[in-house]
């Protein structure tokens, strides 16, 4: 499994690209980069504060629940997600590989201390309880490397997959998007679930058009 923002869309979490996406109002390089945070930590944190409050009110939708159920039924099931909203875990997925991090965790710029931070009354960047340094959202920004160990496990899962389901991603962000290509090259049958057909250059064997919250429960029924 590789999921993107489209799997959380029906929970009310805004996607990034396309109509209503959050990149419509902000340029990603203005907010989701280490340079942006260095330049204006208060502005970048305020954006995450807004997203945390919005996502806090969102519940897993039938797509998340169907994936948690599929995991329970299928041995050797791996879920890789680009989403930072934590909804797969909330739906019961046991060990989602959150390759872009999780916005419910923060990390200290100075001492590296990483901790869960669920408070919703933090309009300004919090400071580290250990060293007083600035805390940042524990997510991967553009231009930052992904966690090597997580990425290694994701490549492994992609290369060993017999079937790869790619759900709700525009597949523009690297290296996440390359995971589907790697799976395909290693012989996996690639099924895409999206509102829109894949670009013709894509390596999708079957494209299931529709909302993840409807298609995935139907796939579960049929499995
Ligand atoms: C890296 C966390 C090595 C933060 C995110 C030039 C300069 C510098 C870098 C680059 C460059 N060119 C390329 C790069 C690499 C860059 C990249 O890929 N850029 C892209 C934009 C061209 N990648 C990186 O920088 C990565 N790091 O490469 O390190 C390196 C080091 C130094 C220099 C170079 C390289 C780090 C990438 C991680 C960035 N962090 N998020 C945060 O979220 O706050 S990315 C962000 O996009 C989210 O994580 C999101 O998950 C991800 C992908 O978006 P999608 O999930 O696909 O969502 P999107 O809105 O795009 O699409 C939604 C889809 O769902 C649509 O297809 C829609 O049709 C569908 N949909 C909607 N509703 C539904 C649905 N489908 C089904 N049902 C529905 N109901
Ligand atoms: Zn610290």
């Amino acid at each position: 499994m590789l999921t993107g923002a489209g799997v959380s869309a029906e929970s009310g979490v805004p996607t990034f690209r396309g109509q209503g996406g959050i990149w419509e109002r902000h340029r990603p390089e203005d907010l989701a980069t280490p340079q942006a945070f260095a330049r204006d930590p208060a502005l970048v944190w305020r954006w995450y504060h807004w997203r945390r409050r919005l996502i806090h009110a969102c519940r897993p939708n039938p797509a998340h629940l169907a994936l948690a159920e599929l995991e329970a039924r299928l041995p050797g099931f791996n879920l890789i997600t680009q989403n930072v909203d934590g909804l797969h875990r909330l739906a019961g997925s046991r060990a989602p590989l959150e390759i872009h991090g999780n916005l419910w965790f923060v990390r200290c710029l100075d001492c590296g201390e990483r901790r869960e931070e669920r408070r919703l009354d933090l309009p300004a960047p919090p400071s580290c309880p250990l060293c007083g340094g600035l805390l940042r959202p524990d997510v991967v920004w553009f231009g930052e490397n992904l966690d090597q160990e997580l990425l290694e496990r994701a490549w492994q899962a992609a290369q060993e997959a017999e079937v790869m389901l790619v759900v709700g991603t525009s597949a523009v962000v690297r290296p996440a998007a390359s995971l589907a290509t790697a799976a395909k090259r290693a012989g996996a049958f690639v099924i895409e679930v999206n509102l829109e057909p894949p670009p013709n250059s894509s390596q999708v064997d079957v494209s299931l058009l529709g909302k993840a919250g409807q298609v995935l429960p139907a796939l579960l029924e049929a499995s």
Side-chain angles (χ1 to χ4, degrees), residues 84-86 89 98 100-106 114 137-139:
V84 297
D85 57 32
R89 228 180 263 275
E98 295 174 322
H100 289 165
N102 183 315
L103 57 63
W104 295 114
F105 283 78
V106 290
R114 181 178 179 277
D138 192 29
V139 298

Side-chain angles (χ1 to χ4, degrees), residues 162-187:
E162 288 166 64
V163 176
M164 180 181 246
L165 259 164
V166 180
V167 183
T169 181
S170 58
V172 297
V173 173
R174 308 238 162 285
S178 318
L179 290 165
T181 321
K184 178 79 193 137
R185 202 178 304 121

Side-chain angles (χ1 to χ4, degrees), residues 4-6 9-10 15-17 23 32 47-48 51 82-84 100 139-146 168-175 193-196 210-213:
E10 291 154 82
T15 58
F16 290 84
R17 298 163 186 87
W23 293 146
W47 182 54
Y48 281 92
R51 285 174 67 191
Q82 300 170 83
N83 299 342
V84 297
H100 289 165
V139 298
V140 180
W141 281 327
F142 288 103
E144 290 189 318
N145 286 313
L146 281 65
T169 181
S170 58
V172 297
V173 173
R174 308 238 162 285
V193 177
N194 201 303
L195 292 182
E196 289 153 13
K211 290 185 171 185

